[in-house]
Amino acid sequence: MSLLIHVLACAFGLGSWVAVNGLWVELPLIVNSLPEGWDLPSYLTVIIQLANLGPLLVTLMHKLCPGPHKERVVIYTILSIGVVSCILLAVFWDTTTVVAGASYSLAFFIITFFLSLVDCTSSVTFMPFMTQLPAKYITTYFFGEGLSGFIPGVVALAQGVGIARCVDSNHTEGNYTYGNVSTSHTEYLPPNFSIEVFFAFLAVMMSVSLAAFVALNKLPRTFELSTENLMPDTEGAVSSGLDNPGAETDEVAVKGQGEAEGEVKGKALLAAPQLSTSQLAFIYTLVVLVNAATNGVLPSVQTYSCMPYGNLAYHLTAALASVANPVACTIAMFFPNRSLVFLGGLSMLGAGFGSYNMAMAAMSPCPLLQGTVGGEVLIVLSWLFFTGTTSYVKVMVAVILRDRSHSALVWCGAASQMGSLVGSVTMFPLVNTYRLFESGDFCSTRCPV
């Protein structure tokens, strides 16, 4: 039964961000087909954050009308919307509409909004639901959440998203060099299977998540632990290092005592880690800043950061960076570290990689080491380590707050969405109004040697 719950928790986590993650890994192909071009990611970040209306309503519901039943109804609803939206996206993703004399991907934007509504709302519904299960399953859930990016990334690699070559004016293949003749241009090779098939695959993944949630709600009552009754698994969580290590001392102190002292033992094990006001402020500030960077600031300029190195670099960045999330969750499962000093230092390391990515975007279309294998490898690795370090921080912060209380985890989701909103709203005018970032064709752009 324990293995079954692990599998279901992982499958349930697939539906958390699969739709939005799927859009990001498919962008190397989509940006070459829709009229917004390289600016498309900045539009998507704003649309995704507009969908924060969902989390705000759910957070308000938790305050005014608390109860696990309402939470389950919300999850059923948003997963169903996700399945339908993925199907509609497969049909209407390339439909354009003329607005004020210019073509826009209006249908794509509307459907993306509903997909984002599903994924953003999952932050304040899926994790709180998981607190009804023993503590060990929340890491499995996060692993499934990581797979929601990893699996679409692997499928995108098999699809051959956006692979391109340079050809001259006579349509013969040119050399892959920078500063070549101005008649050279980019020719994008067709993918191994269509965008429509890819979005249909996302619909299947959302359906798997919905089925897993149904199964979790059908489990025997002995496994449906309420948020006030987490005692059966707490001892195991302590031994695994995911809970307050000082609780083991409490267990020894009361061992062999009477029934009354046995109750004290249970309460000691269940006690949430004591966090001061300043520590809580640090944790929530960290949540806001990390999510602002990972969900708003950096994604808005990923095209400008990677495309100058060629479509292959962008393709590998989008697909392989998604691997870093489940890897970070796996590391957190076996090597958890609750130290706030460590998490702060790891966040600073991630900020260093993020700063490099942002600097390359600012230098577009002529970033450092352009036209070299080293430059391409460096930009891919920088995005990979940026995603990995920040993902580990997210997981450990959620585990810390999960052990504190149900409401702490709810507000963790709300803080993550607030950070994402601030990051995306800040970047949109910089990209689309002030045009601080410049695009270019990697085959024809002339850069200083």
Side-chain angles (χ1 to χ4, degrees):
M1 180 63 73
S2 178
L3 177 61
L4 174 62
I5 299 175
H6 275 296
V7 172
L8 293 177
C10 182
F12 176 50
L14 288 177
S16 57
W17 284 93
V18 64
V20 171
N21 285 330
L23 286 177
W24 283 113
V25 300
E26 194 75 351
L27 277 183
L29 186 59
I30 296 176
V31 294
N32 300 317
S33 303
L34 296 183
E36 289 75 16
W38 286 25
D39 292 339
L40 186 60
S42 62
Y43 280 94
L44 292 186
T45 56
V46 172
I47 291 172
I48 291 171
Q49 302 318 315
L50 288 176
N52 279 311
L53 174 64
L56 290 175
L57 292 177
V58 171
T59 303
L60 185 63
M61 181 192 73
H62 275 289
K63 298 296 292 184
L64 300 179
C65 305
H69 176 69
K70 295 183 178 64
E71 191 172 73
R72 292 174 184 176
V73 172
V74 172
I75 296 176
Y76 276 123
T77 302
I78 63 175
L79 285 175
S80 300
I81 293 175
V83 174
V84 174
S85 297
C86 286
I87 295 174
L88 292 176
L89 195 62
V91 178
F92 300 106
W93 74 271
D94 58 347
T95 302
T96 58
T97 305
V98 177
V99 179
S103 294
Y104 291 94
S105 308
L106 190 59
F108 180 80
F109 291 156
I110 293 174
I111 299 173
T112 298
F113 171 79
F114 283 100
L115 287 176
S116 304
L117 190 67
V118 172
D119 292 1
C120 290
T121 306
S122 72
S123 297
V124 291
T125 54
F126 285 19
M127 287 192 294
F129 171 79
M130 289 303 299
T131 62
Q132 300 177 46
L133 296 174
K136 61 185 178 181
Y137 297 115
I138 192 169
T139 307
T140 306
Y141 163 80
F142 273 113
F143 183 77
E145 185 176 281
L147 289 179
S148 70
F150 173 73
I151 294 178
V154 171
V155 174
L157 285 174
Q159 186 184 21
V161 171
I163 303 301
R165 64 181 179 181
C166 298
V167 297
D168 60 23
S169 57
N170 294 323
H171 302 287
T172 59
E173 187 173 348
N175 294 326
Y176 187 84
T177 58
Y178 293 85
N180 53 356
V181 295
S182 59
T183 56
S184 178
H185 66 278
T186 306
E187 180 180 272
Y188 296 98
L189 305 180
N192 295 324
F193 52 87
S194 67
I195 296 176
E196 290 81 4
V197 172
F198 181 84
F199 287 143
F201 175 77
L202 296 184
V204 172
M205 290 188 65
M206 290 295 300
S207 300
V208 169
S209 179
L210 177 58
F213 180 67
V214 173
L216 284 172
N217 281 284
K218 298 297 182 181
L219 289 174
R221 293 296 301 176
T222 54
F223 289 93
E224 292 186 19
L225 305 178
S226 69
T227 55
E228 294 80 24
N229 183 22
L230 297 174
M231 196 179 306
D233 194 64
T234 308
E235 185 172 353
V238 170
S239 64
S240 67
L242 291 179
D243 279 291
N244 187 1
E248 291 186 6
T249 304
D250 295 331
E251 180 181 358
V252 174
V254 299
K255 187 175 180 180
Q257 302 300 317
E259 181 176 349
E261 292 183 346
E263 294 178 2
V264 174
K265 169 187 171 181
K267 292 180 180 179
L269 286 170
L270 284 173
Q274 298 300 313
L275 297 173
S276 65
T277 302
S278 60
Q279 287 176 320
L280 281 174
F282 173 79
I283 289 174
Y284 283 114
T285 300
L286 196 63
V287 170
V288 171
L289 294 178
V290 168
N291 282 276
T294 58
N295 299 334
V297 176
L298 271 302
S300 298
V301 296
Q302 189 176 44
T303 45
Y304 297 94
S305 177
C306 301
M307 282 290 276
Y309 294 99
N311 243 61
L312 179 60
Y314 184 22
H315 171 48
L316 292 177
T317 296
L320 295 182
S322 62
V323 177
N325 195 301
V327 170
C329 292
T330 303
I331 295 174
M333 181 185 301
F334 295 102
F335 304 100
N337 192 326
R338 291 169 171 265
S339 169
L340 297 185
V341 174
F342 173 79
L343 295 179
L346 196 61
S347 299
M348 292 299 295
L349 180 62
F353 291 117
S355 298
Y356 178 81
N357 299 336
M358 177 61 73
M360 296 307 100
M363 297 174 67
S364 176
C366 299
L368 297 177
L369 301 177
Q370 187 189 45
T372 67
V373 175
E376 296 178 19
V377 172
L378 191 58
I379 193 65
V380 173
L381 290 179
S382 181
W383 276 96
L384 184 67
F385 288 125
F386 167 73
T387 305
T389 53
T390 53
S391 296
Y392 184 93
V393 172
K394 289 180 184 180
V395 172
M396 291 313 304
V397 166
V399 170
I400 292 172
L401 294 177
R402 185 267 178 200
D403 288 343
R404 181 174 175 81
S405 69
H406 178 276
S407 61
L409 202 57
V410 172
W411 286 110
C412 176
S416 69
Q417 295 308 319
M418 183 179 70
S420 302
L421 176 62
V422 171
S424 60
V425 170
T426 300
M427 291 304 298
F428 186 82
L430 299 181
V431 174
N432 297 281
T433 303
Y434 298 104
R435 297 289 175 181
L436 298 184
F437 302 90
E438 184 179 349
S439 61
D441 190 300
F442 75 93
C443 286
S444 60
T445 299
R446 295 177 177 270
C447 294
V449 180

